[in-house]
Amino acid sequence: MQTSKLRFSWPKLILMNFIIYILETISYFFVGSYFGQLWGLSNTWNLQLGIDRVMPWISWLFPYYMLWPYYWFILVPILLYWALGRRAVAKYIVVSLLMYVIASIIYAVFPTTTVELDFLNGNIATLAHNAPFYENIYHLAHNSANVWGSWPSYHNFWASMLVLFPLMQKGMTWKKAVLIVMGLVVSLATFTLHQHAVGDAVLTYLMTYVFMRVTMRYGWDQKLLGWMSKQK
């Protein structure tokens, strides 16, 4: 069969994305929260560095930060397909499966957290009460579903796929550039809203890169693509 004559089998595509969603939900809302609380705050790791203490607030990036937890499992694969094609979607699924399984293990045995948000304790730089989205950020700080899973950072994982997938393909197009900019904006929001440390993002990007290399090395994305495809 020629690749040009293949298309996705919708039931299989939906099934794989549903599995990803379930794994992410279990990893973030159950494993991270349960084991973080089990260990206790004093026994968690903090990856904040000096750079995190001088990171400025850019509160108007809040919408870019909050958009992804609700729409990532729809937008990211669509964007990757739009800019990179069918194989990128298969690669996204494989890399996501690897990330959520490995991240769950990390959450359980190596829980990480950040210090209380800066504008609450003033240790670094307080956020002005008249700053854009102050109330939204305040609400987020007091109602986070999981304060323990700083690394791997799923926000930076979704962003890293938008950044690394295009960069690891030859050539540059305007579509690839759009993905890269979008990913970088999301990562920037994690720093400047003080939701994650720079170390959280760097390690998450590194994990994504390694998972991508392993996936391509063993052709897992190509095998999955074949399974999810059918003749036109």
Side-chain angles (χ1 to χ4, degrees):
M1 281 187 294
Q2 295 179 358
T3 303
S4 60
K5 294 183 179 181
L6 295 177
R7 63 184 175 89
F8 282 123
S9 168
W10 279 102
K12 292 180 179 180
L13 182 62
I14 293 172
L15 173 63
M16 294 308 302
N17 279 277
F18 180 72
I19 291 174
I20 288 174
Y21 175 75
I22 293 299
L23 285 176
E24 189 271 344
T25 300
I26 293 174
S27 175
Y28 185 80
F29 290 100
F30 176 73
V31 177
S33 295
Y34 175 79
F35 281 96
Q37 295 178 42
L38 184 66
W39 280 65
L41 184 62
S42 61
N43 293 313
T44 60
W45 295 79
N46 189 325
L47 300 180
Q48 287 184 319
L49 303 171
I51 189 174
D52 297 296
R53 298 190 172 278
V54 296
M55 191 65 63
W57 280 92
I58 306 181
S59 62
W60 57 264
L61 287 176
F62 177 80
Y64 300 94
Y65 178 84
M66 284 307 298
L67 173 67
W68 297 95
Y70 301 103
Y71 300 105
W72 70 267
F73 53 93
I74 297 175
L75 287 182
V76 172
I78 288 177
L79 288 169
L80 291 174
Y81 175 78
W82 171 70
L84 304 174
R86 295 171 62 256
R87 187 170 181 177
V89 177
K91 188 183 301 180
Y92 154 82
I93 292 173
V94 175
V95 172
S96 294
L97 292 172
L98 290 171
M99 174 61 77
Y100 295 135
V101 171
I102 299 301
S104 296
I105 296 173
I106 295 174
Y107 286 169
V109 302
F110 191 80
T112 55
T113 187
T114 56
V115 296
E116 190 177 8
L117 284 182
D118 304 340
F119 72 90
L120 297 178
N121 57 36
N123 286 343
I124 303 175
T126 56
L127 176 64
H129 285 223
N130 62 351
F133 301 104
Y134 177 90
E135 293 297 330
N136 303 83
I137 299 171
Y138 185 89
H139 178 80
L140 175 66
H142 288 84
N143 294 277
S144 177
N146 173 21
V147 299
W148 310 100
S150 294
W151 171 67
S153 160
Y154 285 160
H155 271 87
N156 282 292
F157 171 53
W158 306 324
S160 68
M161 287 189 286
L162 296 179
V163 174
L164 295 178
F165 278 36
L167 290 178
M168 293 180 69
Q169 283 193 358
K170 293 182 179 179
M172 179 58 63
T173 65
W174 70 269
K175 290 182 179 181
K176 290 182 179 180
V178 168
L179 263 62
I180 293 171
V181 170
M182 291 179 67
L184 291 177
V185 167
V186 174
S187 286
L188 180 64
T190 67
F191 306 151
T192 58
L193 293 173
H194 295 271
Q195 299 295 313
H196 284 285
V198 173
D200 298 333
V202 171
L203 290 174
T204 302
Y205 269 69
L206 179 61
M207 287 179 66
T208 304
Y209 175 79
V210 170
F211 293 155
M212 289 176 63
R213 297 296 300 179
V214 171
T215 297
M216 292 185 293
R217 170 67 176 82
Y218 292 102
W220 291 338
D221 54 334
Q222 190 65 51
K223 294 175 183 177
L224 180 63
L225 180 61
W227 178 78
M228 292 193 305
S229 300
K230 64 181 181 180
Q231 190 80 22
K232 283 186 177 181

